[in-house]
Amino acid sequence: MDYDRRPHSKYLILYHIIFVTKYRRKFLNLIDIASIFRQIELVSNFKIVEIGVDTDHVHLLIQSVPDLSVSQIIRRIKQVSTKLCWNQYSEILRKFYWKKRILWSDGTFACTIGNVSLATAREYIQKQG
């Protein structure tokens, strides 16, 4: 993957993020969640590199910019995808969530991904200075 550039900076910021449906309800195979995420990507300052969908969770590989935190990305994707899914798939979602318009669990997994292995990064840092 290539580095992004801005004036006076060069960066590559990749996050592996996992969202789980509330109560681990298994319905993501019934809706086009990847399309929902792609709609969000079009109006956001991050790129979704890869999407993996299971029945009750989603894996995302996201390329970001330095001025956008992982919590901002997660909050945006969860909020907007919940709204869009309820707008498009309310009949399906009512079967799983009958009291509130919810979609995702409160928790999230997120980790950074680089273009090098952990061992290579450690060696590079140890050799500095």
Side-chain angles (χ1 to χ4, degrees), residues 83-105:
K83 182 178 179 181
L84 292 175
C85 282
W86 274 95
N87 287 344
Q88 293 180 28
Y89 302 106
S90 60
E91 289 183 29
I92 294 170
L93 295 176
R94 276 192 208 110
K95 296 174 186 175
F96 297 93
Y97 307 111
W98 51 93
K99 289 186 180 182
K100 295 182 181 177
R101 289 185 163 230
I102 56 176
L103 191 66
W104 304 111
S105 70

Side-chain angles (χ1 to χ4, degrees), residues 68-128:
L68 192 60
S69 72
V70 68
S71 62
Q72 290 171 308
I73 294 169
I74 290 168
R75 182 173 36 258
R76 177 166 180 76
I77 292 173
K78 281 186 168 184
Q79 287 175 344
V80 177
S81 66
T82 298
K83 182 178 179 181
L84 292 175
C85 282
W86 274 95
N87 287 344
Q88 293 180 28
Y89 302 106
S90 60
E91 289 183 29
I92 294 170
L93 295 176
R94 276 192 208 110
K95 296 174 186 175
F96 297 93
Y97 307 111
W98 51 93
K99 289 186 180 182
K100 295 182 181 177
R101 289 185 163 230
I102 56 176
L103 191 66
W104 304 111
S105 70
D106 294 336
T108 303
F109 170 85
C111 70
T112 55
I113 306 289
N115 238 5
V116 297
S117 68
L118 179 59
T120 302
R122 282 184 174 174
E123 182 180 325
Y124 174 81
I125 290 168
Q126 289 170 356
K127 289 184 178 180
Q128 298 304 303

Side-chain angles (χ1 to χ4, degrees), residues 44-80:
S44 300
N45 200 13
F46 55 80
K47 181 180 181 214
I48 300 174
V49 178
E50 198 69 43
I51 301 173
V53 180
D54 202 341
T55 58
D56 65 355
H57 66 279
V58 177
H59 290 259
L60 299 169
L61 181 59
I62 294 179
Q63 187 173 358
S64 185
V65 294
D67 52 343
L68 192 60
S69 72
V70 68
S71 62
Q72 290 171 308
I73 294 169
I74 290 168
R75 182 173 36 258
R76 177 166 180 76
I77 292 173
K78 281 186 168 184
Q79 287 175 344
V80 177

Side-chain angles (χ1 to χ4, degrees), residues 4-11 66:
D4 288 324
R5 295 175 185 267
R6 286 187 177 174
H8 309 290
S9 64
K10 186 176 182 180
Y11 56 89

